[in-house]
Amino acid sequence: QVHVVESGGGLVQPGGSLRLSCTVSRSPFSILTTSWYRQAPGKEREMVASITHLGSPTYASSVKGRFTISRDKAKNTVYLQMNALKPEDTAVYYCIPQPGGSWGQGTQVTVSS
């Protein structure tokens, strides 16, 4: 019942930047936490970043200092600003709001020269 639209992925060179967007709608719950996960072929699924309803962020050590998670309450949107991208950041990125969230289609991020 919770609808999630992820966007912003694409192809970028190492050192480049992308901004992912996650818009959440039709939620019967108050969203407490929204998280970005990623999964690359042959790798475990990884929690990249999360943000609470109070705006407190959490980051994986692999992206800390390069990625920034933020939110726009008025637009029901969470953003993931990704800077200094590396080839190892290549993955499908998923946005999961809690409670009530589930896996969607995700958005592909490819970092390659």
Side-chain angles (χ1 to χ4, degrees), residues 4-46:
V4 175
V5 178
E6 300 139 318
S7 63
L11 174 64
V12 65
Q13 294 184 348
S17 298
L18 287 172
R19 188 180 74 164
L20 307 185
S21 298
C22 171
T23 300
V24 181
S25 63
R26 303 181 186 179
S27 176
F29 313 107
S30 295
I31 303 300
L32 298 180
T33 302
T34 302
S35 300
W36 284 98
Y37 288 80
R38 68 185 182 188
Q39 187 162 28
K43 294 186 177 180
E44 296 181 352
R45 188 173 62 196
E46 177 186 23

Side-chain angles (χ1 to χ4, degrees), residues 1-4 24 27-29 31 33 95-104:
Q1 293 297 312
V2 178
H3 290 233
V4 175
V24 181
S27 176
F29 313 107
I31 303 300
T33 302
C95 177
I96 308 294
Q98 297 291 347
S102 61
W103 298 104

Side-chain angles (χ1 to χ4, degrees), residues 27-113:
S27 176
F29 313 107
S30 295
I31 303 300
L32 298 180
T33 302
T34 302
S35 300
W36 284 98
Y37 288 80
R38 68 185 182 188
Q39 187 162 28
K43 294 186 177 180
E44 296 181 352
R45 188 173 62 196
E46 177 186 23
M47 198 281 285
V48 176
S50 65
I51 188 166
T52 72
H53 68 293
L54 297 178
S56 299
T58 301
Y59 300 98
S61 61
S62 59
V63 307
K64 192 173 184 179
R66 299 187 296 119
F67 291 10
T68 302
I69 190 169
S70 62
R71 63 175 184 162
D72 186 330
K73 283 187 174 181
K75 296 181 178 180
N76 295 319
T77 300
V78 173
Y79 303 97
L80 185 66
Q81 178 67 46
M82 306 185 295
N83 298 325
L85 284 162
K86 304 175 181 180
E88 51 263 45
D89 294 319
T90 297
V92 178
Y93 285 70
Y94 302 90
C95 177
I96 308 294
Q98 297 291 347
S102 61
W103 298 104
Q105 295 182 349
T107 184
Q108 175 72 50
V109 172
T110 303
V111 184
S112 177
S113 60

